Amino acid sequence: MARRYRDAAAKLQQNVQKHLKDMKELSSSEDEEPYETSVLEGVFQSYSRGGGDTSMLNRTKNLLEEAISGRSVTCLICIGSIKRLHAIWTCEHCFSYFHLSCIQKWSNDSISLRSEENQGPIAVCKPKKIEWCCPKCRQSYTKEEIPRKYRCFCGKTDDPQNHPWLIPHTCGEVCEKRLSVGENCKHKCLLLCHPGPCPPCPQTVNGVCYCEKERKRVRCSAAHWSCGKPCKKTLLCRTHKCENVCHEGDCDPCNYSSTQTCQCKAEKTKRPCNNPFWQCSKVCNKLYTCGYHRCERVCHSGDCGSCPNSGMSSCPCGANQRFVQCPDVMETCLGTCGRKHNDCEHNCPEKCHKGPCPPCQVLVQKKCQCTMHTRSLPCSKEFKCETKCKGTRPCGKHGCARKCCNGNCPPCEKICDKPLQCGRHKCTSICHRGPCYPCPRESKVTCRCKETYITVLCGRERHTKPPKCSMLCKLKYKCGHVEENRHSCHFGECPPCKAICDKQYPKCGHHCEAVCHEYVAVVFKQVEKPATPWEVQPPKTKIMTLECPPCNTPVPIVCFGEHETDEQPCHSATRRPCGRECGRLLACSNHKCSLLCHLYSPVAEYPNVPSSCRQCNQECLVSRPEKCTHKCPKRACHPGPCPPCEVLERLPCHCGITEIYLRCREISVATEENLSCKQQCPKNLECGHRCRNTCHSGPCGNQICTKKTKIHCTCGNIKKEAPCNAVRSGEIKILCDATCEAKKIAAKIESEKEKQRLKALEEEKNRKELAEYEWKLSGKKKKYKEKRVVVNTDDRGVLQKYWIPILSVIIAILGACYYVFYV
């Protein structure tokens, strides 16, 4: 049974985890990820290089921030969120987003409903242009403009790929759309593919103000501006000038009044200057040139023209025609009028007459507008019956009930009153076909304190996160701390109290420095292991008041050896070893105690801590006198100075030839005479002669050497002896004499003879080489021996030449015979 229970519990936990994972995926949204500012900067990078002003980007920048801020955009057709991976369509007028499938269904339904309106029993209306409109701004689109593909905002790329570092539904390339702002703007948008309208053109051009008085270099998007000066353009009255500040468009009408004459100049009156041309009610009544008739036109300017009663004229029916000269008048004839009526095809049966023809009285069979009844009536009369229309109005729900309807039933005048998708309101539009428009009302999503709110479309409250409120939370803590726990408005429980307890401990008198622990939520979990899955109890939370924690106020405590003072929590403060060596001088007064930190005297509270230092057992480490390399005679460490050293030492003298014996204590006070062997110094002076002083330390010093040394002249021919000091100082010098000059001349003659001998040898060698070369070119050839030709003759017999083929033939014959006779 226990195994079955474990399996059931494991399966239950697995289903719970799967359900939680699905809920997490549904609750999380890809569009709620926070955006990086580098993305927005990358979009505006190209525009910034083009010299755009950041203040001109506010409109486009707001749309871009909304696109990458993580806030979900709502499709107004299905009232659902538009995510990064959804295919969308964007209106070119209001730049709103819609799902591609939703807008396709919307446009097809709109076109089908418009097509059904023209269908009826009698189609007498003109064919209308079938269009569909944007669900938000009602911008009209033709049937050919129904979106078929998912395109990026700039329209260059179909089905743009979703990239984590790009704005959703963009291709990442430069927009390059023509900037619509500006009359003659030919520049292109430098932003990356972006939602919403392109920003104003940032390029500079030669612009002119509205009144055309001031010209300067301005942005292409503001090629015309107001210079702030009076307009001064001549108004329509041609008398006054515009006094408004430089403005766009036509000037306002003139506000002044003036005395103006009519067109015939018969009357004068004071009228507004904005309408200088007016007519009085007086008939012209001027005689034409004929002298019999007068002009019947009302007040006019200029000449009245020729008399309309003179010239070629005809009777009213047009049968007779002749030239008439005033005062003659063209009379009616005796024939029938015969003119066609304007409303039908029948001819007028009356006699020739002036003025319009009377109504047509020809009897015809007429059908009423609903084609239900027929009756003989005069052609000029309209026939309507009393039968009510049984058709339905364009809404498809209510009947027409109009008398004698021609099939084009009027639009329904009743209110739709269908419940909208938000589930709260009803449709207030006129009764219609198909789905109702989305609810136009807005709802408020508030924070907990109801001070901060955002407006969303009605029905989106459940799917919209409440706004972050910057107001202070109005809930009060039970512990009474208010000022220490001020925090912003929030949902759920308030954060734990952060105030300090500050209660006094009864033992030490310090105050509690812990966070407030009154009315704290304590979680109690099940300790005992449940035997069955249904005995598992969830953790329980209970509001309790906890005791103050141990006092942690730092208290100064000295270590055992009083080396340092450490601050310890009050509840666990006690003397402890600091870990250093004791450091007190021992009895030898040379070394210090090497034990770890301990007490100087016994203390009853710490019976196990040593309270005395150890004895010194080291050798004497006092530094020995100068030049003494022996140990202290006492060996062990002792107080006071060490005894003098009596060891004999063998030392070399200054010159290093003889050895001298002295005691160690005498070496440090020995003089130079004690270390001298009293013999002549074996060192050489700078001149190379031996020092004449006795054994001494250091260099031999400056001595005057008077020993004889040899000196030569410059050529080395004359040699003499002189004192060493005189030779080194340059006092004695030997100069060359005549013998030296003769010796030089003889040496020079000898060298010239040697050069002539070598030159003769060189010429002889060249002569022999030239003779050998001429002999080779004289034509004498080398004799060659005749080659001996030896002819090789073959003296072998026939058997020696062809023994191999003969032997192979014999073997073949023998094999054939063996096969025939034995096989």
Side-chain angles (χ1 to χ4, degrees):
M1 294 295 290
R3 183 176 180 182
R4 292 178 59 187
Y5 289 143
R6 287 197 301 271
D7 295 343
K11 189 174 182 180
L12 180 62
Q13 291 295 330
Q14 184 178 1
N15 293 335
V16 169
Q17 294 297 330
K18 184 178 179 181
H19 178 69
L20 291 177
K21 183 178 180 181
D22 295 341
M23 292 297 293
K24 184 177 180 181
E25 291 178 355
L26 290 174
S27 62
S28 63
S29 173
E30 296 177 357
D31 296 331
E32 295 178 358
E33 297 176 358
Y35 72 95
E36 297 289 341
T37 56
S38 59
V39 179
L40 190 59
E41 293 175 358
V43 173
F44 284 99
Q45 183 178 5
S46 299
Y47 182 80
S48 300
R49 286 200 302 263
D53 190 357
T54 55
S55 62
M56 302 172 66
L57 299 175
N58 291 333
R59 183 179 60 170
T60 306
K61 191 174 183 180
N62 292 335
L63 293 173
L64 292 178
E65 289 180 352
E66 182 180 357
I68 63 178
S69 63
R71 296 192 295 269
S72 58
V73 182
T74 304
C75 176
L76 297 180
I77 300 176
C78 65
I79 315 299
S81 298
I82 299 177
K83 298 184 178 180
R84 290 175 176 266
L85 299 178
H86 289 174
I88 66 167
W89 175 80
T90 308
C91 178
E92 297 178 356
H93 186 260
C94 63
F95 305 101
S96 299
Y97 303 168
F98 304 94
H99 288 116
L100 182 63
S101 57
C102 295
I103 198 65
Q104 288 176 347
K105 185 178 179 181
W106 174 276
S107 57
N108 290 327
D109 292 346
S110 300
I111 289 176
S112 62
L113 291 176
R114 295 289 179 87
S115 301
E116 291 178 0
E117 292 180 358
N118 295 333
Q119 297 177 1
I122 301 176
V124 296
C125 62
K126 295 182 180 180
K128 297 180 180 179
K129 187 177 181 180
I130 300 176
E131 295 179 342
W132 59 279
C133 59
C134 171
K136 184 176 181 181
C137 64
R138 305 302 179 191
Q139 174 70 16
S140 298
Y141 293 93
T142 62
K143 186 177 181 180
E144 290 76 14
E145 293 178 343
I146 297 177
R148 305 295 181 188
K149 294 182 180 180
Y150 168 41
R151 295 178 178 272
C152 62
F153 293 115
C154 65
K156 295 180 182 178
T157 306
D158 295 342
D159 300 326
Q161 298 293 329
N162 181 27
H163 197 280
W165 299 108
L166 292 177
I167 297 176
H169 318 297
T170 59
C171 60
E173 298 180 2
V174 179
C175 178
E176 293 185 353
K177 287 183 181 179
R178 282 286 296 272
L179 297 174
S180 59
V181 180
E183 296 179 356
N184 300 320
C185 179
K186 298 181 180 180
H187 305 112
K188 295 182 179 180
C189 181
L190 300 179
L191 292 178
L192 299 181
C193 183
H194 60 89
C198 295
C201 183
Q203 303 296 335
T204 55
V205 295
N206 294 321
V208 61
C209 66
Y210 295 122
C211 63
E212 300 181 357
K213 294 180 180 178
E214 184 176 345
R215 298 176 182 272
K216 63 180 179 179
R217 296 284 293 181
V218 293
R219 300 288 184 187
C220 183
S221 58
H224 299 280
W225 74 98
S226 176
C227 62
K229 300 178 181 178
C231 179
K232 297 299 181 181
K233 287 184 179 179
T234 303
L235 298 178
L236 188 62
C237 64
R238 299 180 182 180
T239 303
H240 304 99
K241 294 185 178 181
C242 180
E243 296 179 356
N244 296 333
V245 179
C246 180
H247 58 87
E248 184 179 4
D250 296 333
C251 297
D252 295 336
C254 184
N255 297 326
Y256 294 96
S257 299
S258 59
T259 303
Q260 300 175 5
T261 59
C262 62
Q263 293 188 9
C264 66
K265 299 182 180 180
E267 295 183 6
K268 290 184 179 182
T269 184
K270 193 173 184 179
R271 301 182 72 257
C273 283
N274 57 0
N275 189 12
F277 304 104
W278 63 285
Q279 293 177 331
C280 63
S281 58
K282 183 179 179 181
V283 179
C284 180
N285 205 21
K286 290 182 181 180
L287 285 172
Y288 288 113
T289 55
C290 63
Y292 296 98
H293 302 99
R294 293 181 179 275
C295 178
E296 297 179 356
R297 289 191 300 169
V298 183
C299 176
H300 65 86
S301 60
D303 190 11
C304 295
S306 61
C307 179
N309 297 319
S310 298
M312 294 298 296
S313 180
S314 61
C315 62
C317 68
N320 299 323
Q321 187 176 8
R322 63 184 179 87
F323 183 83
V324 178
Q325 182 68 33
C326 293
D328 295 340
V329 178
M330 189 71 182
E331 300 293 339
T332 57
C333 66
L334 300 177
T336 305
C337 178
R339 289 182 292 179
K340 285 186 177 182
H341 291 281
N342 295 330
D343 300 333
C344 63
E345 296 181 355
H346 301 120
N347 296 328
C348 179
E350 300 294 332
K351 289 184 179 181
C352 180
H353 60 85
K354 295 181 180 181
C357 296
C360 182
Q361 299 295 327
V362 179
L363 294 177
V364 294
Q365 293 290 329
K366 279 197 171 186
K367 286 186 178 182
C368 62
Q369 292 184 1
C370 62
T371 69
M372 297 291 293
H373 304 280
T374 304
R375 184 180 297 179
S376 295
L377 290 174
C379 181
S380 59
K381 288 188 176 181
E382 186 179 359
F383 178 35
K384 286 187 178 182
C385 66
E386 298 295 325
T387 304
K388 292 185 178 181
C389 179
K390 296 182 180 179
T392 57
R393 302 206 177 198
C395 64
K397 298 178 183 179
H398 304 102
C400 177
R402 189 174 64 168
K403 290 183 180 181
C404 195
C405 181
N406 60 356
N408 290 330
C409 299
C412 187
E413 299 176 354
K414 296 183 179 181
I415 303 300
C416 177
D417 206 33
K418 284 184 181 178
L420 298 177
Q421 293 182 358
C422 64
R424 296 181 179 179
H425 307 103
K426 293 184 179 180
C427 182
T428 57
S429 301
I430 301 298
C431 189
H432 56 85
R433 283 179 177 268
C436 299
Y437 289 129
C439 183
R441 300 187 182 183
E442 293 183 347
S443 299
K444 292 183 179 180
V445 179
T446 63
C447 62
R448 187 173 185 178
C449 67
K450 312 251 182 236
E451 295 292 338
T452 305
Y453 64 89
I454 58 175
T455 56
V456 296
L457 294 176
C458 186
R460 291 292 296 172
E461 298 89 346
R462 297 180 180 178
H463 306 284
T464 304
K465 289 185 177 181
K468 291 184 179 180
C469 181
S470 58
M471 305 294 290
L472 294 177
C473 181
K474 298 180 179 180
L475 300 179
K476 294 184 179 180
Y477 285 83
K478 294 181 181 180
C479 59
H481 298 113
V482 178
E483 298 296 332
E484 298 87 348
N485 295 294
R486 292 186 177 273
H487 57 277
S488 300
C489 176
H490 60 89
F491 287 91
E493 297 293 336
C494 290
C497 180
K498 299 180 181 179
I500 305 301
C501 178
D502 204 31
K503 289 183 179 180
Q504 187 174 7
Y505 290 98
K507 294 182 180 180
C508 58
H510 298 130
H511 292 272
C512 179
E513 297 180 356
V515 179
C516 179
H517 41 78
E518 293 185 8
Y519 301 98
V520 180
V522 181
V523 180
F524 294 90
K525 295 183 180 180
Q526 186 178 4
V527 179
E528 297 179 358
K529 187 176 181 180
T532 57
W534 50 83
E535 292 182 1
V536 177
Q537 297 180 1
K540 297 181 180 179
T541 304
K542 186 177 180 181
I543 304 298
M544 298 179 62
T545 300
L546 303 179
E547 296 181 357
C548 293
C551 181
N552 290 320
T553 303
V555 178
I557 299 297
V558 182
C559 64
F560 290 144
E562 300 180 358
H563 300 110
E564 61 182 23
T565 301
D566 186 19
E567 292 186 352
Q568 300 180 11
C570 180
H571 71 279
S572 61
T574 180
R575 294 185 69 180
R576 300 172 184 174
C578 62
R580 300 181 183 178
E581 294 182 355
C582 177
R584 286 190 293 176
L585 287 175
L586 299 179
C588 65
S589 69
N590 293 326
H591 301 98
K592 296 181 180 181
C593 180
S594 60
L595 293 177
L596 294 179
C597 181
H598 59 84
L599 293 172
Y600 292 163
S601 60
V603 180
E605 296 179 2
Y606 309 101
N608 298 326
V609 179
S611 58
S612 61
C613 298
R614 293 180 182 176
Q615 294 182 357
C616 181
N617 55 2
Q618 298 184 12
E619 293 183 356
C620 180
L621 299 178
V622 178
S623 58
R624 303 299 297 160
E626 186 181 0
K627 299 183 181 181
C628 180
T629 59
H630 309 103
K631 293 183 179 180
C632 178
K634 292 185 177 182
R635 298 288 182 178
C637 186
H638 59 86
C642 298
C645 184
E646 299 293 336
V647 179
L648 286 174
E649 287 287 341
R650 187 172 59 182
L651 300 175
C653 64
H654 296 304
C655 61
I657 297 176
T658 308
E659 292 182 350
I660 301 172
Y661 290 88
L662 292 174
R663 293 195 180 276
C664 183
R665 58 181 175 79
E666 298 176 353
I667 295 176
S668 58
V669 295
T671 61
E672 186 176 355
E673 294 181 358
N674 294 335
L675 297 178
S676 176
C677 63
K678 308 296 192 264
Q679 297 180 10
Q680 186 180 358
C681 179
K683 299 177 182 178
N684 292 331
L685 300 176
E686 293 180 358
C687 61
H689 301 125
R690 186 174 178 181
C691 179
R692 293 180 299 172
N693 297 334
T694 57
C695 179
H696 60 85
S697 61
C700 293
N702 296 326
Q703 299 181 17
I704 299 175
C705 182
T706 58
K707 194 173 182 179
K708 298 294 184 177
T709 182
K710 292 182 179 181
I711 186 173
H712 304 270
C713 64
T714 305
C715 64
N717 185 31
I718 303 174
K719 297 180 182 179
K720 290 183 180 181
E721 288 185 357
C724 181
N725 58 345
V727 174
R728 290 177 61 85
S729 61
E731 295 178 359
I732 299 177
K733 292 183 180 180
I734 299 177
L735 300 176
C736 296
D737 53 4
T739 57
C740 294
E741 291 293 332
K743 191 174 183 179
K744 287 181 181 180
I745 294 171
K748 185 176 180 181
I749 293 171
E750 186 68 25
S751 62
E752 290 178 356
K753 288 182 179 180
E754 183 65 22
K755 287 180 180 179
Q756 291 177 0
R757 187 180 67 83
L758 293 175
K759 185 178 180 181
L761 291 175
E762 184 68 23
E763 291 177 354
E764 182 65 22
K765 182 179 179 181
N766 293 337
R767 187 186 61 77
K768 288 181 180 181
E769 289 178 356
L770 179 61
E772 185 178 358
Y773 180 72
E774 291 177 352
W775 179 79
K776 287 181 180 181
L777 294 176
S778 61
K780 293 182 179 180
K781 295 184 179 180
K782 195 174 183 181
K783 294 183 179 180
Y784 295 94
K785 293 182 179 180
E786 294 182 358
K787 293 183 179 179
R788 184 177 180 182
V789 180
V790 180
V791 180
N792 294 328
T793 57
D794 192 1
D795 298 336
R796 293 181 300 172
V798 176
L799 292 176
Q800 291 178 348
K801 291 181 179 180
Y802 306 105
W803 66 275
I804 293 176
I806 293 171
L807 183 60
S808 60
V809 171
I810 293 172
I811 292 172
I813 293 171
L814 292 176
C817 294
Y818 178 79
Y819 179 79
V820 172
F821 292 106
Y822 296 99
V823 179

